[in-house]
Amino acid sequence: GQQVMQIPQYQHVQEGEDFTTYCNSSTTLSNIQWYKQRPGGHPVFLIQLVKSGEVKKQKRLTFQFGEAKKNSSLHITATQTTDVGTYFCAGGSNDYKLSFGAGTTVTVRA
Amino acid sequence: DAGVTQSPTHLIKTRGQQVTLRCSPISGHKSVSWYQQVLGQGPQFIFQYYEKEERGRGNFPDRFSARQFPNYSSELNVNALLLGDSALYLCASSQYTSEAFFGQGTRLTVV
């Protein structure tokens, strides 16, 4: 079955620095979604990418979908303490099922 | 507008017991999905229902079952609970796209 892998598992970032988290699928995806989960909270939808090579920006967050629609990345610039949490990618397939990666847990040093 | 609501928020059960979790989707959303999230892992897909019909099932044993009602709310049932069933159970509703809106979850502890 479809597997989605994320790296790194943990990201410790100095406030103000940039970082990137990566997501890879074993199969071609119909779409990729990104979610953020704060400690003790539930996943909150950030964005969905559908087209091959698509790039979308949300303020300091930049999301990319690979040309082969099997990988994606999330790049955060000028990290802030509000960026703390776990970022999940979720691969969507034609059967509407979402396959989540294990997440990248981000901590920020002030 | 109310978001996805789940009840109860916390639950403690004994091994071998049965549990029912409930979910009310966002108004107008006809699709409800259930996920299991074990601590430190991503949500794992259990079921998806659309218009009261099962659209998809994840790799979970038959002890897990669900249904969707005419008002689009949903229940997840787990029979013969095992210690390994302890997890956060998340319900998500969606409309036309697969973008999912999650509830706050039900924290199930099996002792």
Side-chain angles (χ1 to χ4, degrees):
Chain A
Q2 179 178 293
Q3 291 186 354
V4 175
M5 292 148 287
Q6 271 185 266
I7 56 170
Q9 184 177 2
Y10 299 98
Q11 184 79 54
H12 308 289
V13 189
Q14 181 71 40
E15 190 174 16
E17 290 185 341
D18 303 351
F19 74 90
T20 304
T21 176
Y22 300 91
C23 178
N24 290 285
S25 170
S26 58
T27 60
T28 302
L29 302 169
S30 62
N31 66 79
I32 190 89
Q33 300 178 22
W34 286 87
Y35 293 81
K36 178 182 179 180
Q37 186 172 24
R38 294 182 183 275
H42 59 275
V44 175
F45 175 81
L46 294 176
I47 208 159
Q48 176 175 271
L49 304 172
V50 179
K51 300 176 182 177
S52 170
E54 189 171 12
V55 177
K56 288 188 176 180
K57 291 188 177 182
Q58 287 182 351
K59 298 182 180 178
R60 296 179 295 103
L61 278 60
T62 301
F63 304 84
Q64 290 189 315
F65 200 10
E67 294 291 339
K69 300 183 73 172
K70 296 180 71 173
N71 57 71
S72 181
S73 65
L74 161 59
H75 181 76
I76 299 181
T77 59
T79 304
Q80 300 176 0
T81 55
T82 54
D83 295 325
V84 165
T86 301
Y87 293 83
F88 292 101
C89 63
S93 55
N94 293 330
D95 60 2
Y96 300 98
K97 165 186 165 182
L98 283 177
S99 296
F100 280 79
T104 294
T105 298
V106 176
T107 56
V108 180
R109 300 188 301 272
Chain B
D1 286 342
V4 177
T5 57
Q6 292 187 242
S7 63
T9 55
H10 295 83
L11 202 53
I12 299 175
K13 288 286 189 178
T14 304
R15 278 179 296 175
Q17 285 188 316
Q18 175 264 342
V19 67
T20 298
L21 311 180
R22 295 176 176 82
C23 172
S24 293
I26 293 171
S27 178
H29 286 192
K30 299 181 179 181
S31 175
V32 170
S33 299
W34 287 95
Y35 291 83
Q36 180 196 66
Q37 186 176 27
V38 175
L39 193 62
Q41 297 183 19
Q44 296 298 307
F45 174 77
I46 310 175
F47 286 109
Q48 186 190 51
Y49 277 78
Y50 181 79
E51 290 277 19
K52 296 172 289 181
E53 292 191 1
E54 183 182 301
R55 177 181 274 180
R57 170 187 283 258
N59 188 25
F60 281 80
D62 292 343
R63 299 185 295 107
F64 289 76
S65 63
R67 54 180 175 168
Q68 187 177 32
F69 300 98
N71 66 353
Y72 304 113
S73 67
S74 178
E75 286 182 351
L76 175 70
N77 295 284
V78 187
N79 294 321
L81 285 166
L82 304 174
L83 294 179
D85 294 330
S86 296
L88 180 67
Y89 288 85
L90 294 161
C91 172
S93 77
S94 58
Q95 201 174 17
Y96 302 114
T97 69
S98 57
E99 169 189 342
F101 295 87
F102 285 87
Q104 81 283 7
T106 294
R107 173 73 61 186
L108 173 65
T109 302
V110 182
V111 297

